[in-house]
């Protein structure tokens, strides 16, 4: 990926490359085809909603083990995704390469980039195996209670071992998203969700594996999804159009090219997730109630967040296809439209979930648990803070994913790193802990507990969304060439 001149050239659309989501109005001027955006976005929203259901299913099963088990899952949940994102960006990069290849009508490149990412997922397996082995060392600095740490480690090991399966699955599903066939993604995720629910029951309760059973159920269900999606990937019609059966050979040059885009792309989200991991660990350090409540509220916000991801992913595809077709001005128009839709949707759903909090929270606790009432009471308050968070998270998501479609990931990665680690983590620590409670005493500590931590999260996402939107509105991404 290289930069061209300091002033971007005007778009030069190719007449042989039709533009995505474009229609002509009665006056002959180009208009955004919102029906086409909806046709692409709805399956992606359904898919992301299914992923939210999968997370909520895991939360429900683990919550019915004990509050301690839920706190253990909260302690490790975001840390797991931090390492998956940091090392698995090669899988995330596929959609950008595929969308631009689709827009330029060089379709064999779309399938080749998918195979390259699959080879990349194999290469990172030893690293994840090492992380699984050294889980206790990873958690040691955080000073967790013994019972919570035992549950966290039981979940950590198998999730790390299965992480490359998830990266491979991202790669194949990124192909289908990039060529605007998200229905395959929906079918795959539905399969994963169904298998995951059945195996959670079997592994956790029937076989007595506890929280480790939730992790193994996730791994097994993702493996089923990968097998199914690869069968579709090698279907005769895709072989004919995309040469999916001929582009499998490993290619060092393109592998490096995809890692070069994927590493900062993964680092961008990893920086955010590491901040979220530390935030969750802070709440767990406060106590089991604060940790368990935070985990449940995070999972409930996924009702808005995950469909929002689907909308934002539509922006990645549309922006990438427009750039591949040679029209960056049209890419800007499409990105702006998706940003507005995503922000409005997530804000509305966040308020709805908060309003339903008194009825929703009790579903995720064991009524016989002596701490259940405290979890529900705190959760009802946190859901209203989370509602404001969701509004600005919609702006952050859609702006970041539009930049991702353009291949602009280095500056956004720096923004995430600076604001997550330089602002969010110290601010959340200051607002969460009273003096003597936290990990260090070098900063003021106001002792507002979980509510304070969530207010810090809200402030962070306001700053982050504003910075990413300004980057999108600038001309920086227009100079990027893959």
């Amino acid at each position: 990926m290289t930069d061209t001149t300091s002033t971007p050239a005007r778009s030069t659309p190719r007449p042989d490359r039709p533009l995505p989501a474009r229609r002509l109005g009665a006056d002959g001027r180009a208009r955004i085809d919102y029906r086409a955006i909806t046709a692409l976005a709805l399956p992606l929203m359904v898919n992301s909603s299914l992923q939210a259901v999968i997370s909520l299913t895991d939360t429900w099963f683990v919550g019915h083990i004990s509050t301690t088990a839920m706190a253990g899952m909260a302690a490790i949940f975001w840390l797991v995704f931090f390492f998956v994102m940091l090392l698995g960006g090669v899988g995330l990069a596929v959609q950008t390469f595929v969308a631009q290849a689709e827009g330029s009508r060089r379709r064999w490149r779309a399938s080749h980039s998918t195979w390259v990412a699959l080879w990349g997922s194999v290469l990172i397996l030893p690293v994840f195996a090492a992380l699984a082995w050294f889980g206790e060392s990873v958690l040691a600095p955080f000073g967790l209670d013994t019972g919570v740490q035992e549950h966290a480690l039981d979940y950590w090991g198998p999730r790390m071992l299965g992480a490359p399966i998830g990266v491979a699955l991202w790669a194949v599903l990124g192909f289908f998203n990039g060529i605007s066939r998200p229905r395959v993604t929906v079918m795959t995720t539905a399969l994963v969700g169904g298998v995951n629910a059945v195996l959670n029951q079997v592994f956790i309760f029937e076989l007595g594996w506890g929280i480790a059973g939730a992790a193994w159920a996730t791994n097994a269900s993702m493996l089923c999804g990968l097998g199914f999606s690869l069968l579709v990937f090698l279907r005769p019609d895709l072989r004919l159009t995309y040469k999916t059966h001929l582009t499998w050979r490993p290619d060092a040059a393109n592998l490096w090219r995809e890692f070069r885009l994927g590493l900062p792309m993964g680092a961008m989200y990893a920086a955010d997730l590491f901040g979220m991991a530390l935030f969750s660990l802070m709440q767990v350090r406060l106590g089991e109630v604060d940790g368990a409540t935070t985990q449940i509220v995070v999972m409930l916000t996924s009702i808005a967040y995950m469909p929002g991801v689907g909308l934002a992913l539509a922006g990645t595809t549309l922006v990438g296809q427009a750039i591949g077709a040679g029209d960056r001005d049209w890419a800007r128009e499409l990105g702006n439209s998706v940003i507005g839709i995503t922000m409005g949707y997530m804000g509305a759903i966040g308020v709805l979930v908060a309003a339903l909090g008194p009825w929703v929270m009790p579903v995720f606790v064991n009524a016989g648990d002596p701490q259940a009432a405290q979890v529900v009471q705190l959760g009802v308050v946190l859901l209203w803070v989370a509602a404001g968070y969701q509004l600005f998270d919609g702006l952050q998501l859609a702006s970041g994913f539009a930049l991702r479609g353009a291949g602009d990931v280095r500056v956004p990665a720096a923004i995430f790193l600076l604001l997550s680690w330089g602002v969010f983590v110290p601010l959340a620590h200051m607002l969460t802990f009273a003096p003597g409670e936290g990990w260090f005493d070098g900063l003021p500590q106001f002792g507002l507990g979980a509510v304070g931590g969530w207010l810090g999260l809200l402030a962070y996402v306001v700053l982050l969304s504003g910075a990413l939107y300004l980057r999108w509105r600038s001309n920086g991404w227009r100079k990027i060439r893959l």
Side-chain angles (χ1 to χ4, degrees), residues 108-178:
W108 68 269
R109 291 190 175 184
S111 65
H112 182 58
S113 67
T114 307
W115 281 114
V116 167
L118 288 172
W119 285 111
S121 68
V122 174
L123 290 177
I124 60 178
L125 178 58
V127 182
F128 279 109
L131 285 169
W133 181 261
F134 290 106
E136 189 169 354
S137 298
V138 172
L139 285 183
F142 301 112
L144 301 177
D145 290 340
T146 302
V148 172
Q149 179 157 321
E150 287 177 357
H151 282 291
L153 290 174
D154 286 344
Y155 187 76
W156 171 267
R159 282 297 283 119
M160 285 293 98
L161 290 174
I165 302 173
V167 175
L169 186 57
W170 288 346
V172 183
L173 297 186
F175 168 81
F176 291 110
N177 293 342

Side-chain angles (χ1 to χ4, degrees), residues 67 71 283-284 286-294 371-372 374-376 378:
T67 299
Q283 310 315 307
V284 173
L286 281 175
E288 292 181 0
V289 169
D290 302 87
T293 306
T294 290
Q371 297 173 309
Q374 294 174 269
V375 171
V376 172
L378 178 59

Side-chain angles (χ1 to χ4, degrees), residues 51-61 299-300 302-303 364:
Q51 292 178 359
V53 170
I54 293 171
S55 295
L56 287 169
T57 300
D58 289 346
T59 302
W60 186 90
F61 275 104
M299 291 300 98
L300 286 173
S302 67
I303 296 172
F364 294 93

Side-chain angles (χ1 to χ4, degrees), residues 61-367:
F61 275 104
V62 173
H64 282 73
I65 298 173
S66 68
T67 299
T68 305
M70 180 63 73
M73 186 179 184
I76 211 72
F77 187 83
W78 292 110
L79 203 57
V80 167
F81 278 100
F82 164 74
F83 284 108
V84 173
M85 287 289 183
L86 183 65
L87 300 171
V90 65
L92 296 175
V94 169
Q95 185 174 347
T96 299
F97 285 110
V98 169
Q100 295 196 14
E102 178 75 6
S104 67
R105 295 299 186 262
R106 291 176 288 187
R107 291 190 166 105
W108 68 269
R109 291 190 175 184
S111 65
H112 182 58
S113 67
T114 307
W115 281 114
V116 167
L118 288 172
W119 285 111
S121 68
V122 174
L123 290 177
I124 60 178
L125 178 58
V127 182
F128 279 109
L131 285 169
W133 181 261
F134 290 106
E136 189 169 354
S137 298
V138 172
L139 285 183
F142 301 112
L144 301 177
D145 290 340
T146 302
V148 172
Q149 179 157 321
E150 287 177 357
H151 282 291
L153 290 174
D154 286 344
Y155 187 76
W156 171 267
R159 282 297 283 119
M160 285 293 98
L161 290 174
I165 302 173
V167 175
L169 186 57
W170 288 346
V172 183
L173 297 186
F175 168 81
F176 291 110
N177 293 342
I179 66 172
S180 299
R181 297 194 187 183
R183 292 183 181 180
V184 177
T185 302
V186 174
M187 290 188 292
T188 303
T189 305
L191 173 65
V192 171
V195 173
N196 181 63
V198 172
L199 293 183
N200 262 294
Q201 175 65 30
V202 173
F203 291 169
I204 294 175
F205 298 114
E206 305 298 330
L207 297 180
W209 292 359
I211 194 173
W216 285 115
T218 298
N219 294 344
S221 60
M222 287 193 303
L223 187 61
C224 291
L226 178 61
F228 172 77
S229 60
L230 282 173
L231 287 175
V232 180
F233 181 69
L234 294 170
R235 206 170 55 186
D237 60 321
L238 296 178
R239 290 187 186 184
L240 178 65
T241 305
Y242 295 93
K243 312 301 180 188
T244 57
H245 61 306
L246 299 176
T247 57
W248 60 269
R249 290 177 177 80
D251 177 348
N254 278 296
L255 183 62
W256 168 241
R257 178 170 168 255
E258 293 199 21
F259 267 112
R260 191 172 58 181
L261 179 67
L263 285 174
M265 186 180 291
M268 176 168 62
Y269 300 114
D272 182 55
L273 288 169
F274 188 68
M276 286 298 298
L278 292 178
F279 167 74
S280 293
L281 284 163
M282 290 177 200
Q283 310 315 307
V284 173
R285 185 176 177 86
L286 281 175
E288 292 181 0
V289 169
D290 302 87
T293 306
T294 290
Q295 180 65 15
I296 294 170
V297 171
V298 167
M299 291 300 98
L300 286 173
T301 61
S302 67
I303 296 172
Y305 176 81
M306 296 308 296
V309 170
L311 280 167
L313 280 171
T316 300
T317 295
L318 293 168
V319 168
Q321 289 182 356
I323 289 174
D327 197 332
R328 290 175 181 260
D329 292 329
W330 188 246
R332 180 191 286 279
E333 293 293 326
L334 291 172
N336 289 341
S337 297
V338 174
I339 287 170
I341 295 169
T342 305
M343 190 175 182
Y345 170 81
M346 289 185 63
I349 297 299
V351 171
L352 178 61
V353 172
L356 295 174
W359 296 273
V360 173
M361 282 297 301
V363 175
F364 294 93
V365 296
N366 186 339

Side-chain angles (χ1 to χ4, degrees), residues 265 268-269 312 315-316 339 393-409 412 416 464-465 468-469 472:
M265 186 180 291
M268 176 168 62
Y269 300 114
T316 300
I339 287 170
D393 210 28
L395 177 59
Q396 176 269 126
L397 272 176
S399 300
F401 276 51
L403 291 167
R404 177 173 153 185
D408 185 5
V409 293
F416 268 94
L464 179 63
S465 61
L468 290 176
Y469 183 66
W472 169 251

